[in-house]
Amino acid sequence: MSKTLLDKVWEAHTVRKLPNGATQLLIGTHLIHEVTSPQAFGMLRDLGLKVLYPQRTFATVDHIVPTDEREEPFSDPLADEMIKALRANCDEFGIKFFDLPTGAQGIVHIVGPEQGITQPGTTIACGDSHTSTHGAFGAIAFGIGTSQVRDVLATQTMALHKPKVRRINVDGKLAPGVYAKDVILHIIRKLGVNGGIGYAYEYGGSTFDNFTQEERMTVCNMSIEGGARVGYVNPDDTTFDYLKGRPFAPKAEEWDAAVARWRSFASDPDATYDDVVNFRAEDIGPTITWGINPGQAIFIDENVPTPAELPEKDRATAEEALVHMNLAPGKPIKGTKVDVAFLGSCTNGRLSDLTEVARFVKGRKVKDGVKAIVVPGSQGVSQIAEKMGLAEIFRDAGFEWRGAGCSMCLGMNPDKLVGHQLCASSSNRNFKGRQGSPTGRTVLMSPIMVAAAALTGEITDAREVFDIK
Amino acid sequence: MALEKITQVTGRGVYVPGEDIDTDRIIPARFMKCITFDGLGEFAFYDERKAADGSLKPHPLNEERYVGAKFLLSGSNFGCGSSREHAPQALYRYGFRAVIAESFAEIFFGNSITLGMPCAVMAHDDIQALAGLIESDPAILITLDLLEGKVTAADMDFPATLPPHAKEALVQGKWDAIADLLESVDEIKNVASGLAYFKAA
Ligand code: SF4
């Protein structure tokens, strides 16, 4: 019988059926960070349990690390307590920690791939909903709660129900100035923020075939924003080329066997899906959010919707969003004043994001009065970007060049919005209060659109600002 | 580990209207700077309840008459967003013992069940009717009967469902999976030894 990648990975990792009908699934790779793991280690100690496979758990610190003053102790005593707790837990249980001094620290979803820990045909779990990112390698990767972090530490397994699979095809060539971020914002806009509940999203089609590995990660990253806990792309040569030579990737003598194994996990050509949705790349334009969830999105040249034109079930949230965002319904979003521009996060804080943007901002200046920050997703990204001269380009243009971390993606470190500030953000969530100020406003967009906003001080079409044709 | 068999929840309720109520609203990220879940209850819906200067905003959880509610009622896609268990933990520690909504985000749902806090799905109109009852008499007792699959309040009852696996887990006292998982360490090792990448690292 023909199978999807999900079927194959699921089968290879099934330990047994549990009495309640759930599958006890082996989790090959477990990633942890400082926010959702300390309580799990606490539970482990309370139960007198050990970590079953310490060599299959990897830790980093990302959410709470300051991106400017990185000397310890951190000025925030709670943040300091959290990094110390993680350090102590990793020491006690023998877990590899990509700590600040290692030069390999970064956002967990950037570090895993960068180190070659994220591999095709594997199962990956992390106490973080954007774990779906790792699906870009043909892994089944999902976010879990703290009790499940405990389960994985203690047993390297968890109880799960197999999701259905929705195949999402995007075919054709994206227009200049349209990026992977626009593709996923468009998909979420069309399928809804809860459209993916109960599904894994399998992304494919010629647009995905031609995407780089990093573009695939951007899309898979936001699967959860569409309600899908898992999102993946079938592994191919692009995936293998990316992994080759990375620290945790199979070494030369094992490489060919690994590639053959990885390839065999791809969905069979005649696999059947629970649902199939098709998009055309040509129909997708630069997409930005106007509201308080990632599905409230429009093309840059569209007007902010009026609630009356939306389906009835979406109206109340739309009203609430318009009040929070202080946007006028029926009017263009273009021209809205921007206070902060944030380039970073596990969605768009990778090297290719920074290189692409640097190409355009070179020799230009951030608008007076706009706070613009660039936060590399990992120390690894940061080191290469500095060597390539990207940091210089950004600094010269008036951007602040920061240390690696989650930064302004969420309000758990010193990088926060203040008051009603509006932020043009390359991150993934525009929930009320997400960026640290309960009344702060987030507009999600691609990195290039963030750059255009930084230079002009308003929400604008990057294709016009940078003459992209 | 013997866990309580959760077949029924009875208590008063409070209705927090809205669709897509996300985990950042249930517990703002800045309150997740902690290494235990203790004390999270007071931060439930914090930014919805309090203004920046600490003054109270109009919010159902700020109303005296709803204090002590065990049921939280809301709209669709409740708990979307982050995988943070801090969200259900905050609700549980605030005092809630069940959530009723039109639908739930998947990770939030799973996290809640693991705490022994049922998340039951009711139809839109039924939630409105139940909210109406609570509004007119906040002292009214609501009962969620998991075995019967219904919610009763005053002389009304409404279908209220959980997926069979979640219902079974709760009523059999198996809502925390750890005991089951620990039973099969040999099988775990067996499956792991068949996977190339397990040996490598
Ligand atoms: S960058 Fe943002 S979304 Fe990604 S892990 Fe950090 S906080 Fe979560």
Side-chain angles (χ1 to χ4, degrees), chain A residues 3-11 140 162-165 200 202 230 232 265 267:
Chain A
K3 292 175 183 156
T4 62
L5 177 137
L6 182 105
D7 294 328
K8 299 181 195 182
V9 174
W10 197 271
E11 244 167 56
I140 296 303
K162 191 175 173 189
K164 294 181 283 187
V165 182
E202 177 180 304
V230 167
Y232 67 86
F265 278 102
S267 293

Short mmCIF file of all heavy atoms in Angstrom, two decimals, chain A residues 3-11 140 162-165 200 202 230 232 265 267:
data_model
loop_
_atom_site.label_atom_id
_atom_site.label_comp_id
_atom_site.label_asym_id
_atom_site.label_seq_id
_atom_site.Cartn_x
_atom_site.Cartn_y
_atom_site.Cartn_z
N LYS A 3 2.09 4.94 0.89
CA LYS A 3 2.05 5.62 2.18
C LYS A 3 2.56 7.05 2.10
O LYS A 3 3.40 7.37 1.25
CB LYS A 3 2.93 4.87 3.18
CG LYS A 3 2.39 3.51 3.54
CD LYS A 3 3.37 2.79 4.43
CE LYS A 3 2.85 1.39 4.73
NZ LYS A 3 3.94 0.50 5.07
N THR A 4 2.13 7.85 3.05
CA THR A 4 2.70 9.19 3.18
C THR A 4 3.94 9.10 4.07
O THR A 4 4.14 8.11 4.78
CB THR A 4 1.72 10.15 3.87
OG1 THR A 4 1.46 9.65 5.19
CG2 THR A 4 0.41 10.27 3.10
N LEU A 5 4.71 10.17 4.04
CA LEU A 5 5.87 10.24 4.94
C LEU A 5 5.41 10.07 6.38
O LEU A 5 6.04 9.37 7.19
CB LEU A 5 6.60 11.57 4.75
CG LEU A 5 7.79 11.80 5.68
CD1 LEU A 5 8.97 12.40 4.92
CD2 LEU A 5 7.44 12.71 6.86
N LEU A 6 4.29 10.69 6.70
CA LEU A 6 3.80 10.59 8.08
C LEU A 6 3.54 9.12 8.46
O LEU A 6 3.93 8.67 9.54
CB LEU A 6 2.52 11.42 8.27
CG LEU A 6 2.03 11.36 9.70
CD1 LEU A 6 2.34 12.66 10.43
CD2 LEU A 6 0.56 11.04 9.81
N ASP A 7 2.90 8.38 7.54
CA ASP A 7 2.64 6.95 7.81
C ASP A 7 3.94 6.21 8.12
O ASP A 7 4.03 5.43 9.07
CB ASP A 7 2.01 6.26 6.59
CG ASP A 7 0.62 6.78 6.25
OD1 ASP A 7 -0.10 7.17 7.19
OD2 ASP A 7 0.27 6.81 5.06
N LYS A 8 4.94 6.47 7.27
CA LYS A 8 6.19 5.71 7.39
C LYS A 8 6.94 6.05 8.67
O LYS A 8 7.44 5.16 9.36
CB LYS A 8 7.09 5.99 6.18
CG LYS A 8 6.47 5.59 4.84
CD LYS A 8 7.45 5.88 3.71
CE LYS A 8 6.74 5.85 2.36
NZ LYS A 8 7.68 6.07 1.25
N VAL A 9 7.02 7.33 8.96
CA VAL A 9 7.75 7.74 10.17
C VAL A 9 7.00 7.23 11.41
O VAL A 9 7.60 6.76 12.38
CB VAL A 9 7.92 9.28 10.22
CG1 VAL A 9 8.55 9.71 11.54
CG2 VAL A 9 8.77 9.75 9.05
N TRP A 10 5.70 7.32 11.35
CA TRP A 10 4.87 6.88 12.47
C TRP A 10 5.11 5.40 12.75
O TRP A 10 5.33 4.98 13.88
CB TRP A 10 3.39 7.15 12.15
CG TRP A 10 2.49 7.12 13.33
CD1 TRP A 10 1.85 6.04 13.85
CD2 TRP A 10 2.15 8.25 14.16
NE1 TRP A 10 1.11 6.42 14.95
CE2 TRP A 10 1.27 7.76 15.16
CE3 TRP A 10 2.48 9.61 14.14
CZ2 TRP A 10 0.72 8.60 16.13
CZ3 TRP A 10 1.92 10.43 15.11
CH2 TRP A 10 1.06 9.93 16.09
N GLU A 11 5.07 4.61 11.66
CA GLU A 11 5.28 3.17 11.80
C GLU A 11 6.64 2.85 12.42
O GLU A 11 6.74 2.03 13.33
CB GLU A 11 5.24 2.52 10.41
CG GLU A 11 4.10 1.57 10.22
CD GLU A 11 3.96 1.22 8.75
OE1 GLU A 11 4.96 0.76 8.15
OE2 GLU A 11 2.86 1.44 8.21
N ILE A 140 8.85 14.36 11.41
CA ILE A 140 7.57 14.63 12.03
C ILE A 140 7.88 15.33 13.35
O ILE A 140 8.40 14.70 14.28
CB ILE A 140 6.76 13.33 12.24
CG1 ILE A 140 6.43 12.69 10.88
CG2 ILE A 140 5.46 13.62 13.01
CD1 ILE A 140 5.67 13.58 9.92
N LYS A 162 -2.61 9.73 15.93
CA LYS A 162 -2.08 10.02 14.59
C LYS A 162 -2.97 11.05 13.89
O LYS A 162 -4.18 10.87 13.80
CB LYS A 162 -2.05 8.72 13.79
CG LYS A 162 -1.27 8.82 12.50
CD LYS A 162 -1.21 7.45 11.84
CE LYS A 162 -0.59 7.58 10.47
NZ LYS A 162 -0.69 6.32 9.73
N PRO A 163 -2.35 12.13 13.39
CA PRO A 163 -3.17 13.12 12.70
C PRO A 163 -3.54 12.66 11.29
O PRO A 163 -2.94 11.74 10.74
CB PRO A 163 -2.25 14.35 12.64
CG PRO A 163 -0.87 13.82 12.73
CD PRO A 163 -0.94 12.52 13.48
N LYS A 164 -4.53 13.33 10.72
CA LYS A 164 -4.83 13.15 9.30
C LYS A 164 -3.79 13.98 8.52
O LYS A 164 -3.08 14.78 9.10
CB LYS A 164 -6.24 13.67 8.99
CG LYS A 164 -7.33 12.84 9.66
CD LYS A 164 -8.71 13.37 9.31
CE LYS A 164 -9.03 14.62 10.11
NZ LYS A 164 -10.40 15.10 9.94
N VAL A 165 -3.72 13.74 7.22
CA VAL A 165 -2.74 14.49 6.42
C VAL A 165 -3.46 15.29 5.33
O VAL A 165 -4.27 14.74 4.58
CB VAL A 165 -1.70 13.56 5.77
CG1 VAL A 165 -0.68 14.39 4.98
CG2 VAL A 165 -0.99 12.72 6.82
N ALA A 200 -1.89 17.06 9.87
CA ALA A 200 -0.52 17.42 9.55
C ALA A 200 -0.59 18.01 8.15
O ALA A 200 -1.32 17.51 7.30
CB ALA A 200 0.36 16.19 9.56
N GLU A 202 1.18 18.50 4.68
CA GLU A 202 2.30 18.12 3.81
C GLU A 202 2.35 19.13 2.68
O GLU A 202 1.43 19.23 1.88
CB GLU A 202 2.12 16.70 3.24
CG GLU A 202 3.25 16.34 2.27
CD GLU A 202 3.15 14.94 1.67
OE1 GLU A 202 3.08 13.96 2.43
OE2 GLU A 202 3.14 14.84 0.41
N VAL A 230 1.68 19.76 13.02
CA VAL A 230 2.79 19.21 12.24
C VAL A 230 2.71 19.76 10.83
O VAL A 230 1.62 19.87 10.26
CB VAL A 230 2.68 17.66 12.19
CG1 VAL A 230 3.62 17.07 11.15
CG2 VAL A 230 2.95 17.06 13.56
N TYR A 232 5.19 19.41 7.10
CA TYR A 232 6.44 18.87 6.57
C TYR A 232 6.53 18.97 5.06
O TYR A 232 5.52 19.15 4.38
CB TYR A 232 6.66 17.43 7.04
CG TYR A 232 5.68 16.41 6.49
CD1 TYR A 232 5.88 15.79 5.27
CD2 TYR A 232 4.55 16.07 7.22
CE1 TYR A 232 4.99 14.84 4.78
CE2 TYR A 232 3.65 15.13 6.74
CZ TYR A 232 3.87 14.52 5.52
OH TYR A 232 2.99 13.59 5.04
N PHE A 265 11.83 7.63 3.05
CA PHE A 265 10.72 8.10 3.90
C PHE A 265 9.75 9.02 3.15
O PHE A 265 8.63 9.25 3.61
CB PHE A 265 11.25 8.83 5.13
CG PHE A 265 11.66 7.91 6.24
CD1 PHE A 265 12.99 7.62 6.48
CD2 PHE A 265 10.69 7.32 7.05
CE1 PHE A 265 13.37 6.76 7.50
CE2 PHE A 265 11.05 6.46 8.07
CZ PHE A 265 12.40 6.17 8.30
N SER A 267 6.90 10.57 0.91
CA SER A 267 5.59 10.02 0.55
C SER A 267 5.66 9.35 -0.81
O SER A 267 6.32 9.87 -1.73
CB SER A 267 4.55 11.15 0.48
OG SER A 267 4.34 11.70 1.75
#
